[in-house]
Amino acid sequence: MQQIKTSFDFEKPIADLVQQIEKVKQVAEKTKVDMSATLDELDGKLDETTNNLYKNLTGWNKVQMSRHPDRPQTLDYINMICDDFIEMHGDRTVKDDKAIIGGFASINGQTVMVIGHQKGKNTKERQYRNFGMANPEGYRKALRLMRLAEKFNKPVITFIDTMGAYPGLEAEERGQGEAIARNLLEMAVLRVPIICIVVGEGASGGALGIGIGDKVYMLEHTWYSVISPESCSSILWRSWDFKEKAAECLKLTSDDMFNNKLIDGIIPEPLGGAHQDPELMGKTLKEYIVKDLAALGKLKTDKMIEQRIEKFCEMGVVNE
C-alpha cells in the first residue's frame, strides 16, 4: 500500500499506525528477531483504518482536504492532461486577471479551450493570483475565451477552485455581480460542449461563474456551496467556532451534491486525496474528459443546448 502522508488531525489514527510499524521495523532490525507476523497484522490494520477513514469523511474533513497546499491546481492538470497549452490574457477592457487562466490546448490531438481558477502554491504565488479570487475582468476574460472557442467550434473545459469571487470594493465598482450573471447567461446557450469540474473549493458565484456546463463533475474530496462553512458560521452564530456544524448543514460534499441532482457525477480520487498521487488523479480526469468530449461531440448543437438549459432549470423545482 502507498505510504499516506498525513496532514490533518482526523488522519492521526493513520499516523499512529505508521509510527508503530516503523518502531517494529527498528526493533526487528536491531534485535534480528522475526517480526513479520506483527508487521503483517499492523499493515492489515493500517489498510483497514485508512480505507474506513477516507470513506467516512465529514463535510468539514472534505473542506480541509480540498484546501490541502499540495493539492493539484488548474495549471497542474493542464500540464498532466494536455499535449500543449497556449495561455491567453486580458478581457480587452480593464486588465489581465491572474486568478483565472485560460487558453487553447490539445487533448489527444483534439483542440479545446481550457479555463480555470489558479490559487498559487506559495505565498508569493498566492498574492500574485489573488488566492484564486477573480475580479470582474477575470470572468469577462473567461467569457471572451468561451466566445472565441464558440467561434472556432472548440469544446470548453473549466476547472473550478476558488474561495469565491473577490469581494473588494473595486470589484463591486467594476460590476462583479453583472460579470458573473453575464457568464451564466452566455454559458447556458454557448454552442459548443462545456465540461465543468470542481477540483478544489467551489464557493458561491465565484465558482458558478464558470460552472454552467453540459457535464458538471466534482472530485471526490471537494465541496460546492453558496457560501463557505466559516462565513456561514459567522453569519448564523456570529463566530467561526461552528464551521464544522455549518459544513454539515450546508450539504456541500460531492455525495450531497450528487444525491440532490446538482452535479452529473463524482470523479474518484486516489486513496488519501488527489495530493497523494497527482499523476493518477490527472490520468483519471483525462479519461472522464476524453469520454465526455466524444459523447457530447455526437449531439446536435440545438439538442445539446436544450438539454443543458433543462438540466439547470430543473434544479430547485418543488412539486406540491
Side-chain angles (χ1 to χ4, degrees), residues 91-116:
D91 69 337
R92 302 287 176 85
T93 305
V94 180
K95 63 178 181 179
D96 182 38
D97 190 338
K98 305 299 183 183
I100 287 186
I101 60 173
F104 281 116
S106 63
I107 300 176
N108 289 356
Q110 181 177 3
T111 301
V112 297
M113 177 64 76
V114 181
I115 301 167

Side-chain angles (χ1 to χ4, degrees), residues 61-105:
N61 293 156
K62 293 206 172 189
V63 172
Q64 290 177 290
M65 293 279 280
S66 73
R67 294 172 176 172
H68 195 284
D70 294 332
R71 191 174 181 86
Q73 299 180 12
T74 296
L75 279 175
D76 298 313
Y77 288 120
I78 288 173
N79 291 330
M80 288 187 284
I81 294 170
C82 302
D83 305 317
D84 52 38
F85 175 62
I86 302 173
E87 186 175 357
M88 308 180 80
H89 302 272
D91 69 337
R92 302 287 176 85
T93 305
V94 180
K95 63 178 181 179
D96 182 38
D97 190 338
K98 305 299 183 183
I100 287 186
I101 60 173
F104 281 116

Side-chain angles (χ1 to χ4, degrees), residues 223-254:
W223 64 277
Y224 200 8
S225 176
V226 70
I227 193 171
S228 71
E230 293 94 337
S231 298
C232 177
S233 176
S234 66
I235 292 172
L236 295 182
W237 292 283
R238 300 288 188 259
S239 168
W240 279 23
D241 296 338
F242 298 91
K243 55 185 180 293
E244 292 91 345
K245 184 176 180 181
E248 296 304 318
C249 294
L250 286 169
K251 302 295 181 185
L252 43 65
T253 68
S254 54

Side-chain angles (χ1 to χ4, degrees), residues 74 77-78 81 100-103 107 112-117 142-143 145-146 155-161 183 187 190 193-200 206-219 224 267 285 289 293:
T74 296
Y77 288 120
I78 288 173
I81 294 170
I100 287 186
I101 60 173
I107 300 176
V112 297
M113 177 64 76
V114 181
I115 301 167
H117 299 99
L143 180 56
L145 298 185
M146 286 186 275
V156 174
I157 299 168
T158 69
F159 295 114
I160 298 166
D161 185 13
N183 278 23
M187 291 183 79
L190 203 70
I194 309 173
I195 300 172
C196 306
I197 305 168
V198 181
V199 296
L208 200 58
I210 57 170
I212 304 296
D214 302 292
K215 293 290 184 180
V216 180
Y217 293 107
M218 290 176 67
L219 299 195
Y224 200 8
I267 301 178
L285 211 53
I289 291 171
L293 287 177

Side-chain angles (χ1 to χ4, degrees), residues 101-162:
I101 60 173
F104 281 116
S106 63
I107 300 176
N108 289 356
Q110 181 177 3
T111 301
V112 297
M113 177 64 76
V114 181
I115 301 167
H117 299 99
Q118 180 69 19
K119 287 181 175 178
K121 294 293 186 73
N122 53 47
T123 302
K124 188 174 181 179
E125 279 186 22
R126 290 187 186 112
Q127 289 176 332
Y128 179 71
R129 299 287 182 184
N130 199 31
F131 299 86
M133 296 186 293
N135 280 277
E137 50 270 22
Y139 294 103
R140 289 176 180 134
K141 174 171 74 170
L143 180 56
R144 180 175 77 84
L145 298 185
M146 286 186 275
R147 283 174 173 163
L148 193 62
E150 182 182 49
K151 179 179 179 180
F152 293 104
N153 195 30
K154 303 301 179 185
V156 174
I157 299 168
T158 69
F159 295 114
I160 298 166
D161 185 13
T162 181

Side-chain angles (χ1 to χ4, degrees), residues 24-25 28 33-44:
V24 171
K25 286 180 178 178
V33 176
D34 184 10
M35 306 285 284
S36 56
T38 303
L39 285 172
D40 288 343
E41 183 182 347
L42 286 172
D43 282 336

